[in-house]
PDB file of all heavy atoms in Angstrom:
ATOM      1  N   ILE A   2      16.011   0.479  -5.584  1.00  0.00           N
ATOM      2  CA  ILE A   2      17.504   0.204  -5.450  1.00  0.00           C
ATOM      3  C   ILE A   2      17.984  -0.902  -6.256  1.00  0.00           C
ATOM      4  O   ILE A   2      17.476  -2.035  -6.195  1.00  0.00           O
ATOM      5  CB  ILE A   2      17.701  -0.113  -3.928  1.00  0.00           C
ATOM      6  CG1 ILE A   2      17.375   1.107  -3.084  1.00  0.00           C
ATOM      7  CG2 ILE A   2      19.149  -0.519  -3.701  1.00  0.00           C
ATOM      8  CD1 ILE A   2      17.282   0.769  -1.616  1.00  0.00           C
ATOM      9  N   ASN A   3      18.928  -0.570  -7.123  1.00  0.00           N
ATOM     10  CA  ASN A   3      19.392  -1.629  -8.136  1.00  0.00           C
ATOM     11  C   ASN A   3      20.481  -2.515  -7.506  1.00  0.00           C
ATOM     12  O   ASN A   3      21.276  -1.950  -6.766  1.00  0.00           O
ATOM     13  CB  ASN A   3      19.979  -0.866  -9.356  1.00  0.00           C
ATOM     14  CG  ASN A   3      20.423  -1.867 -10.451  1.00  0.00           C
ATOM     15  OD1 ASN A   3      19.631  -2.743 -10.774  1.00  0.00           O
ATOM     16  ND2 ASN A   3      21.585  -1.700 -10.873  1.00  0.00           N
ATOM     17  N   VAL A   4      20.286  -3.742  -7.805  1.00  0.00           N
ATOM     18  CA  VAL A   4      21.272  -4.813  -7.128  1.00  0.00           C
ATOM     19  C   VAL A   4      22.188  -5.235  -8.363  1.00  0.00           C
ATOM     20  O   VAL A   4      21.852  -5.582  -9.416  1.00  0.00           O
ATOM     21  CB  VAL A   4      20.515  -6.007  -6.703  1.00  0.00           C
ATOM     22  CG1 VAL A   4      21.413  -7.088  -6.284  1.00  0.00           C
ATOM     23  CG2 VAL A   4      19.591  -5.679  -5.564  1.00  0.00           C
ATOM     24  N   ILE A   5      23.425  -5.036  -8.022  1.00  0.00           N
ATOM     25  CA  ILE A   5      24.554  -5.262  -9.011  1.00  0.00           C
ATOM     26  C   ILE A   5      25.043  -6.804  -9.111  1.00  0.00           C
ATOM     27  O   ILE A   5      25.201  -7.349 -10.149  1.00  0.00           O
ATOM     28  CB  ILE A   5      25.806  -4.528  -8.704  1.00  0.00           C
ATOM     29  CG1 ILE A   5      25.514  -2.989  -8.820  1.00  0.00           C
ATOM     30  CG2 ILE A   5      26.960  -4.803  -9.539  1.00  0.00           C
ATOM     31  CD1 ILE A   5      26.548  -2.100  -8.127  1.00  0.00           C
ATOM     32  N   MET A   6      24.946  -7.462  -7.928  1.00  0.00           N
ATOM     33  CA  MET A   6      25.381  -8.888  -7.845  1.00  0.00           C
ATOM     34  C   MET A   6      24.903  -9.518  -6.697  1.00  0.00           C
ATOM     35  O   MET A   6      24.664  -8.884  -5.605  1.00  0.00           O
ATOM     36  CB  MET A   6      26.996  -8.679  -7.723  1.00  0.00           C
ATOM     37  CG  MET A   6      27.691  -9.886  -7.430  1.00  0.00           C
ATOM     38  SD  MET A   6      29.462  -9.548  -7.149  1.00  0.00           S
ATOM     39  CE  MET A   6      30.027 -11.122  -6.436  1.00  0.00           C
ATOM     40  N   ILE A   7      24.536 -10.797  -6.700  1.00  0.00           N
ATOM     41  CA  ILE A   7      23.850 -11.542  -5.692  1.00  0.00           C
ATOM     42  C   ILE A   7      24.628 -12.796  -5.357  1.00  0.00           C
ATOM     43  O   ILE A   7      25.205 -13.516  -6.264  1.00  0.00           O
ATOM     44  CB  ILE A   7      22.434 -11.912  -6.068  1.00  0.00           C
ATOM     45  CG1 ILE A   7      21.638 -10.673  -6.358  1.00  0.00           C
ATOM     46  CG2 ILE A   7      21.806 -12.615  -4.903  1.00  0.00           C
ATOM     47  CD1 ILE A   7      20.300 -11.060  -6.988  1.00  0.00           C
ATOM     48  N   SER A   8      24.724 -13.111  -4.006  1.00  0.00           N
ATOM     49  CA  SER A   8      25.315 -14.363  -3.620  1.00  0.00           C
ATOM     50  C   SER A   8      24.586 -14.982  -2.366  1.00  0.00           C
ATOM     51  O   SER A   8      24.233 -14.258  -1.513  1.00  0.00           O
ATOM     52  CB  SER A   8      26.749 -14.160  -3.140  1.00  0.00           C
ATOM     53  OG  SER A   8      27.406 -15.381  -2.733  1.00  0.00           O
ATOM     54  N   GLN A   9      24.265 -16.338  -2.453  1.00  0.00           N
ATOM     55  CA  GLN A   9      23.633 -17.043  -1.386  1.00  0.00           C
ATOM     56  C   GLN A   9      24.242 -18.372  -1.179  1.00  0.00           C
ATOM     57  O   GLN A   9      24.317 -19.138  -2.164  1.00  0.00           O
ATOM     58  CB  GLN A   9      22.122 -17.173  -1.513  1.00  0.00           C
ATOM     59  CG  GLN A   9      21.447 -17.772  -0.284  1.00  0.00           C
ATOM     60  CD  GLN A   9      19.951 -17.790  -0.374  1.00  0.00           C
ATOM     61  OE1 GLN A   9      19.289 -17.572  -1.448  1.00  0.00           O
ATOM     62  NE2 GLN A   9      19.309 -18.067   0.781  1.00  0.00           N
ATOM     63  N   GLY A  10      24.752 -18.674  -0.002  1.00  0.00           N
ATOM     64  CA  GLY A  10      25.368 -19.890   0.284  1.00  0.00           C
ATOM     65  C   GLY A  10      24.209 -20.932   0.403  1.00  0.00           C
ATOM     66  O   GLY A  10      23.030 -20.716   0.744  1.00  0.00           O
ATOM     67  N   SER A  11      24.692 -22.276   0.226  1.00  0.00           N
ATOM     68  CA  SER A  11      23.663 -23.381   0.426  1.00  0.00           C
ATOM     69  C   SER A  11      23.103 -23.461   1.786  1.00  0.00           C
ATOM     70  O   SER A  11      22.104 -24.026   1.959  1.00  0.00           O
ATOM     71  CB  SER A  11      24.415 -24.706  -0.106  1.00  0.00           C
ATOM     72  OG  SER A  11      25.496 -24.954   0.751  1.00  0.00           O
ATOM     73  N   SER A  12      23.956 -22.966   2.739  1.00  0.00           N
ATOM     74  CA  SER A  12      23.424 -23.080   4.189  1.00  0.00           C
ATOM     75  C   SER A  12      22.156 -22.160   4.349  1.00  0.00           C
ATOM     76  O   SER A  12      21.424 -22.325   5.306  1.00  0.00           O
ATOM     77  CB  SER A  12      24.467 -22.554   5.103  1.00  0.00           C
ATOM     78  OG  SER A  12      24.728 -21.175   5.003  1.00  0.00           O
ATOM     79  N   GLN A  13      21.947 -21.133   3.482  1.00  0.00           N
ATOM     80  CA  GLN A  13      20.820 -20.313   3.501  1.00  0.00           C
ATOM     81  C   GLN A  13      20.723 -19.421   4.770  1.00  0.00           C
ATOM     82  O   GLN A  13      19.786 -18.943   5.156  1.00  0.00           O
ATOM     83  CB  GLN A  13      19.462 -20.994   3.311  1.00  0.00           C
ATOM     84  CG  GLN A  13      19.390 -21.771   1.957  1.00  0.00           C
ATOM     85  CD  GLN A  13      18.111 -22.378   1.686  1.00  0.00           C
ATOM     86  OE1 GLN A  13      17.104 -21.767   1.869  1.00  0.00           O
ATOM     87  NE2 GLN A  13      18.091 -23.707   1.296  1.00  0.00           N
ATOM     88  N   HIS A  14      21.910 -19.186   5.417  1.00  0.00           N
ATOM     89  CA  HIS A  14      22.008 -18.402   6.644  1.00  0.00           C
ATOM     90  C   HIS A  14      22.130 -16.841   6.347  1.00  0.00           C
ATOM     91  O   HIS A  14      21.905 -16.042   7.112  1.00  0.00           O
ATOM     92  CB  HIS A  14      23.037 -18.803   7.485  1.00  0.00           C
ATOM     93  CG  HIS A  14      22.895 -20.214   8.052  1.00  0.00           C
ATOM     94  ND1 HIS A  14      23.865 -21.062   8.348  1.00  0.00           N
ATOM     95  CD2 HIS A  14      21.817 -20.716   8.641  1.00  0.00           C
ATOM     96  CE1 HIS A  14      23.399 -22.162   8.814  1.00  0.00           C
ATOM     97  NE2 HIS A  14      22.134 -21.984   9.025  1.00  0.00           N
ATOM     98  N   ASN A  15      22.505 -16.590   4.997  1.00  0.00           N
ATOM     99  CA  ASN A  15      22.634 -15.282   4.660  1.00  0.00           C
ATOM    100  C   ASN A  15      22.353 -15.089   3.139  1.00  0.00           C
ATOM    101  O   ASN A  15      22.574 -15.972   2.331  1.00  0.00           O
ATOM    102  CB  ASN A  15      23.910 -14.621   5.092  1.00  0.00           C
ATOM    103  CG  ASN A  15      24.958 -14.752   3.994  1.00  0.00           C
ATOM    104  OD1 ASN A  15      24.959 -14.149   2.964  1.00  0.00           O
ATOM    105  ND2 ASN A  15      25.913 -15.544   4.214  1.00  0.00           N
ATOM    106  N   ILE A  16      21.783 -13.939   2.696  1.00  0.00           N
ATOM    107  CA  ILE A  16      21.708 -13.490   1.414  1.00  0.00           C
ATOM    108  C   ILE A  16      22.501 -12.113   1.237  1.00  0.00           C
ATOM    109  O   ILE A  16      22.291 -11.253   2.064  1.00  0.00           O
ATOM    110  CB  ILE A  16      20.274 -13.179   0.926  1.00  0.00           C
ATOM    111  CG1 ILE A  16      19.315 -14.448   1.137  1.00  0.00           C
ATOM    112  CG2 ILE A  16      20.140 -12.583  -0.475  1.00  0.00           C
ATOM    113  CD1 ILE A  16      17.876 -14.169   0.902  1.00  0.00           C
ATOM    114  N   SER A  17      23.532 -12.150   0.486  1.00  0.00           N
ATOM    115  CA  SER A  17      24.372 -11.009   0.307  1.00  0.00           C
ATOM    116  C   SER A  17      24.315 -10.519  -1.077  1.00  0.00           C
ATOM    117  O   SER A  17      24.230 -11.190  -2.040  1.00  0.00           O
ATOM    118  CB  SER A  17      25.839 -11.149   0.907  1.00  0.00           C
ATOM    119  OG  SER A  17      26.240 -12.397   0.188  1.00  0.00           O
ATOM    120  N   PHE A  18      24.420  -9.205  -1.232  1.00  0.00           N
ATOM    121  CA  PHE A  18      24.398  -8.624  -2.517  1.00  0.00           C
ATOM    122  C   PHE A  18      25.197  -7.272  -2.658  1.00  0.00           C
ATOM    123  O   PHE A  18      25.356  -6.653  -1.523  1.00  0.00           O
ATOM    124  CB  PHE A  18      22.966  -8.307  -2.922  1.00  0.00           C
ATOM    125  CG  PHE A  18      22.131  -7.576  -2.100  1.00  0.00           C
ATOM    126  CD1 PHE A  18      22.062  -6.192  -2.081  1.00  0.00           C
ATOM    127  CD2 PHE A  18      21.443  -8.235  -1.046  1.00  0.00           C
ATOM    128  CE1 PHE A  18      21.365  -5.563  -1.121  1.00  0.00           C
ATOM    129  CE2 PHE A  18      20.666  -7.635  -0.038  1.00  0.00           C
ATOM    130  CZ  PHE A  18      20.632  -6.179  -0.192  1.00  0.00           C
ATOM    131  N   ALA A  19      25.703  -6.894  -3.760  1.00  0.00           N
ATOM    132  CA  ALA A  19      26.334  -5.721  -3.934  1.00  0.00           C
ATOM    133  C   ALA A  19      25.504  -4.669  -4.712  1.00  0.00           C
ATOM    134  O   ALA A  19      24.786  -5.059  -5.497  1.00  0.00           O
ATOM    135  CB  ALA A  19      27.569  -5.990  -4.889  1.00  0.00           C
ATOM    136  N   ILE A  20      25.584  -3.482  -4.100  1.00  0.00           N
ATOM    137  CA  ILE A  20      24.750  -2.409  -4.657  1.00  0.00           C
ATOM    138  C   ILE A  20      25.770  -1.161  -4.784  1.00  0.00           C
ATOM    139  O   ILE A  20      26.750  -1.097  -4.279  1.00  0.00           O
ATOM    140  CB  ILE A  20      23.588  -2.116  -3.824  1.00  0.00           C
ATOM    141  CG1 ILE A  20      24.083  -1.709  -2.405  1.00  0.00           C
ATOM    142  CG2 ILE A  20      22.497  -3.166  -3.883  1.00  0.00           C
ATOM    143  CD1 ILE A  20      22.899  -1.273  -1.487  1.00  0.00           C
ATOM    144  N   SER A  21      25.152  -0.233  -5.515  1.00  0.00           N
ATOM    145  CA  SER A  21      25.979   1.178  -5.590  1.00  0.00           C
ATOM    146  C   SER A  21      26.159   1.784  -4.180  1.00  0.00           C
ATOM    147  O   SER A  21      25.228   1.635  -3.396  1.00  0.00           O
ATOM    148  CB  SER A  21      25.183   2.072  -6.531  1.00  0.00           C
ATOM    149  OG  SER A  21      25.793   3.367  -6.461  1.00  0.00           O
ATOM    150  N   GLU A  22      27.229   2.310  -3.957  1.00  0.00           N
ATOM    151  CA  GLU A  22      27.619   2.965  -2.713  1.00  0.00           C
ATOM    152  C   GLU A  22      26.576   4.024  -2.251  1.00  0.00           C
ATOM    153  O   GLU A  22      26.178   4.111  -1.150  1.00  0.00           O
ATOM    154  CB  GLU A  22      28.928   3.647  -2.827  1.00  0.00           C
ATOM    155  CG  GLU A  22      29.520   4.082  -1.393  1.00  0.00           C
ATOM    156  CD  GLU A  22      30.948   4.567  -1.542  1.00  0.00           C
ATOM    157  OE1 GLU A  22      31.411   4.797  -2.650  1.00  0.00           O
ATOM    158  OE2 GLU A  22      31.495   4.656  -0.389  1.00  0.00           O
ATOM    159  N   LYS A  23      26.012   4.697  -3.248  1.00  0.00           N
ATOM    160  CA  LYS A  23      25.010   5.816  -2.962  1.00  0.00           C
ATOM    161  C   LYS A  23      23.750   5.304  -2.482  1.00  0.00           C
ATOM    162  O   LYS A  23      22.928   5.919  -1.799  1.00  0.00           O
ATOM    163  CB  LYS A  23      24.844   6.655  -4.217  1.00  0.00           C
ATOM    164  CG  LYS A  23      24.117   6.035  -5.283  1.00  0.00           C
ATOM    165  CD  LYS A  23      23.894   6.797  -6.543  1.00  0.00           C
ATOM    166  CE  LYS A  23      23.351   6.159  -7.773  1.00  0.00           C
ATOM    167  NZ  LYS A  23      22.074   5.564  -7.522  1.00  0.00           N
ATOM    168  N   ASP A  24      23.358   3.962  -2.826  1.00  0.00           N
ATOM    169  CA  ASP A  24      22.180   3.387  -2.260  1.00  0.00           C
ATOM    170  C   ASP A  24      22.292   2.570  -0.940  1.00  0.00           C
ATOM    171  O   ASP A  24      21.390   1.998  -0.470  1.00  0.00           O
ATOM    172  CB  ASP A  24      21.559   2.444  -3.428  1.00  0.00           C
ATOM    173  CG  ASP A  24      21.226   3.139  -4.664  1.00  0.00           C
ATOM    174  OD1 ASP A  24      20.839   4.320  -4.514  1.00  0.00           O
ATOM    175  OD2 ASP A  24      21.316   2.555  -5.834  1.00  0.00           O
ATOM    176  N   ALA A  25      23.562   2.380  -0.580  1.00  0.00           N
ATOM    177  CA  ALA A  25      23.831   1.395   0.601  1.00  0.00           C
ATOM    178  C   ALA A  25      23.012   1.612   1.809  1.00  0.00           C
ATOM    179  O   ALA A  25      22.451   0.660   2.304  1.00  0.00           O
ATOM    180  CB  ALA A  25      25.262   1.376   0.850  1.00  0.00           C
ATOM    181  N   GLU A  26      23.180   2.858   2.303  1.00  0.00           N
ATOM    182  CA  GLU A  26      22.438   3.096   3.621  1.00  0.00           C
ATOM    183  C   GLU A  26      20.912   3.105   3.428  1.00  0.00           C
ATOM    184  O   GLU A  26      20.203   2.421   4.306  1.00  0.00           O
ATOM    185  CB  GLU A  26      22.861   4.434   4.260  1.00  0.00           C
ATOM    186  CG  GLU A  26      24.370   4.526   4.694  1.00  0.00           C
ATOM    187  CD  GLU A  26      24.662   5.637   5.495  1.00  0.00           C
ATOM    188  OE1 GLU A  26      23.789   6.467   5.793  1.00  0.00           O
ATOM    189  OE2 GLU A  26      25.787   5.773   5.905  1.00  0.00           O
ATOM    190  N   GLU A  27      20.416   3.544   2.405  1.00  0.00           N
ATOM    191  CA  GLU A  27      19.022   3.334   2.152  1.00  0.00           C
ATOM    192  C   GLU A  27      18.515   1.887   2.042  1.00  0.00           C
ATOM    193  O   GLU A  27      17.484   1.575   2.571  1.00  0.00           O
ATOM    194  CB  GLU A  27      18.553   4.042   0.840  1.00  0.00           C
ATOM    195  CG  GLU A  27      17.021   4.094   0.471  1.00  0.00           C
ATOM    196  CD  GLU A  27      16.221   4.775   1.653  1.00  0.00           C
ATOM    197  OE1 GLU A  27      16.698   5.517   2.472  1.00  0.00           O
ATOM    198  OE2 GLU A  27      15.077   4.495   1.729  1.00  0.00           O
ATOM    199  N   ALA A  28      19.389   1.057   1.388  1.00  0.00           N
ATOM    200  CA  ALA A  28      18.969  -0.411   1.308  1.00  0.00           C
ATOM    201  C   ALA A  28      18.981  -0.945   2.707  1.00  0.00           C
ATOM    202  O   ALA A  28      18.065  -1.802   3.023  1.00  0.00           O
ATOM    203  CB  ALA A  28      20.127  -1.129   0.572  1.00  0.00           C
ATOM    204  N   VAL A  29      19.860  -0.627   3.575  1.00  0.00           N
ATOM    205  CA  VAL A  29      19.902  -1.076   4.950  1.00  0.00           C
ATOM    206  C   VAL A  29      18.557  -0.674   5.655  1.00  0.00           C
ATOM    207  O   VAL A  29      17.931  -1.454   6.337  1.00  0.00           O
ATOM    208  CB  VAL A  29      21.112  -0.606   5.704  1.00  0.00           C
ATOM    209  CG1 VAL A  29      21.020  -0.957   7.234  1.00  0.00           C
ATOM    210  CG2 VAL A  29      22.441  -1.368   5.171  1.00  0.00           C
ATOM    211  N   ARG A  30      18.247   0.576   5.525  1.00  0.00           N
ATOM    212  CA  ARG A  30      16.969   1.114   6.152  1.00  0.00           C
ATOM    213  C   ARG A  30      15.736   0.327   5.651  1.00  0.00           C
ATOM    214  O   ARG A  30      14.830   0.048   6.436  1.00  0.00           O
ATOM    215  CB  ARG A  30      16.931   2.623   5.928  1.00  0.00           C
ATOM    216  CG  ARG A  30      17.823   3.429   6.745  1.00  0.00           C
ATOM    217  CD  ARG A  30      17.533   4.986   6.716  1.00  0.00           C
ATOM    218  NE  ARG A  30      18.010   5.433   5.478  1.00  0.00           N
ATOM    219  CZ  ARG A  30      19.202   6.034   5.341  1.00  0.00           C
ATOM    220  NH1 ARG A  30      20.072   6.071   6.394  1.00  0.00           N
ATOM    221  NH2 ARG A  30      19.629   6.571   4.189  1.00  0.00           N
ATOM    222  N   VAL A  31      15.652   0.221   4.401  1.00  0.00           N
ATOM    223  CA  VAL A  31      14.503  -0.508   3.852  1.00  0.00           C
ATOM    224  C   VAL A  31      14.408  -1.850   4.316  1.00  0.00           C
ATOM    225  O   VAL A  31      13.242  -2.311   4.602  1.00  0.00           O
ATOM    226  CB  VAL A  31      14.580  -0.448   2.234  1.00  0.00           C
ATOM    227  CG1 VAL A  31      13.666  -1.492   1.567  1.00  0.00           C
ATOM    228  CG2 VAL A  31      14.409   0.951   1.611  1.00  0.00           C
ATOM    229  N   LEU A  32      15.422  -2.678   4.379  1.00  0.00           N
ATOM    230  CA  LEU A  32      15.386  -4.081   4.738  1.00  0.00           C
ATOM    231  C   LEU A  32      15.096  -4.142   6.250  1.00  0.00           C
ATOM    232  O   LEU A  32      14.433  -5.059   6.770  1.00  0.00           O
ATOM    233  CB  LEU A  32      16.747  -4.683   4.386  1.00  0.00           C
ATOM    234  CG  LEU A  32      16.807  -4.962   2.879  1.00  0.00           C
ATOM    235  CD1 LEU A  32      18.243  -5.487   2.435  1.00  0.00           C
ATOM    236  CD2 LEU A  32      15.767  -5.891   2.207  1.00  0.00           C
ATOM    237  N   HIS A  33      15.765  -3.299   6.962  1.00  0.00           N
ATOM    238  CA  HIS A  33      15.528  -3.363   8.465  1.00  0.00           C
ATOM    239  C   HIS A  33      14.048  -3.152   8.777  1.00  0.00           C
ATOM    240  O   HIS A  33      13.504  -3.769   9.624  1.00  0.00           O
ATOM    241  CB  HIS A  33      16.361  -2.137   9.131  1.00  0.00           C
ATOM    242  CG  HIS A  33      16.551  -2.256  10.501  1.00  0.00           C
ATOM    243  ND1 HIS A  33      15.673  -1.775  11.501  1.00  0.00           N
ATOM    244  CD2 HIS A  33      17.527  -2.998  11.341  1.00  0.00           C
ATOM    245  CE1 HIS A  33      16.095  -2.068  12.645  1.00  0.00           C
ATOM    246  NE2 HIS A  33      17.128  -2.781  12.669  1.00  0.00           N
ATOM    247  N   GLN A  34      13.437  -2.181   7.938  1.00  0.00           N
ATOM    248  CA  GLN A  34      11.962  -1.885   8.215  1.00  0.00           C
ATOM    249  C   GLN A  34      11.203  -3.091   7.688  1.00  0.00           C
ATOM    250  O   GLN A  34      10.097  -3.468   8.257  1.00  0.00           O
ATOM    251  CB  GLN A  34      11.599  -0.611   7.542  1.00  0.00           C
ATOM    252  CG  GLN A  34      10.150  -0.227   7.662  1.00  0.00           C
ATOM    253  CD  GLN A  34       9.757   1.136   6.983  1.00  0.00           C
ATOM    254  OE1 GLN A  34      10.623   1.693   6.353  1.00  0.00           O
ATOM    255  NE2 GLN A  34       8.575   1.595   7.205  1.00  0.00           N
ATOM    256  N   GLU A  35      11.520  -3.672   6.496  1.00  0.00           N
ATOM    257  CA  GLU A  35      10.740  -4.676   5.914  1.00  0.00           C
ATOM    258  C   GLU A  35      10.695  -5.947   6.817  1.00  0.00           C
ATOM    259  O   GLU A  35       9.597  -6.555   6.885  1.00  0.00           O
ATOM    260  CB  GLU A  35      11.423  -5.113   4.603  1.00  0.00           C
ATOM    261  CG  GLU A  35      10.721  -6.272   3.817  1.00  0.00           C
ATOM    262  CD  GLU A  35       9.463  -5.796   3.280  1.00  0.00           C
ATOM    263  OE1 GLU A  35       9.262  -4.674   3.093  1.00  0.00           O
ATOM    264  OE2 GLU A  35       8.690  -6.773   2.925  1.00  0.00           O
ATOM    265  N   PHE A  36      11.710  -6.174   7.592  1.00  0.00           N
ATOM    266  CA  PHE A  36      11.654  -7.343   8.496  1.00  0.00           C
ATOM    267  C   PHE A  36      11.309  -7.102   9.900  1.00  0.00           C
ATOM    268  O   PHE A  36      11.458  -7.848  10.826  1.00  0.00           O
ATOM    269  CB  PHE A  36      12.936  -8.149   8.385  1.00  0.00           C
ATOM    270  CG  PHE A  36      13.077  -8.790   7.105  1.00  0.00           C
ATOM    271  CD1 PHE A  36      13.898  -8.363   5.993  1.00  0.00           C
ATOM    272  CD2 PHE A  36      12.467 -10.113   6.827  1.00  0.00           C
ATOM    273  CE1 PHE A  36      14.024  -8.956   4.864  1.00  0.00           C
ATOM    274  CE2 PHE A  36      12.661 -10.780   5.623  1.00  0.00           C
ATOM    275  CZ  PHE A  36      13.450 -10.261   4.536  1.00  0.00           C
ATOM    276  N   GLY A  37      10.999  -5.824  10.056  1.00  0.00           N
ATOM    277  CA  GLY A  37      10.478  -5.381  11.462  1.00  0.00           C
ATOM    278  C   GLY A  37      11.507  -5.582  12.539  1.00  0.00           C
ATOM    279  O   GLY A  37      11.233  -5.811  13.728  1.00  0.00           O
TER     280      GLY A  37
END
């Protein structure tokens, strides 16, 4: 899954990134599984 753009605030409470719409749901599934 290719990442187009990344942003993380200094608070480090979130990491957000933009990806292609076609990859969006798969990215959510991959990360949900990765962090159990």
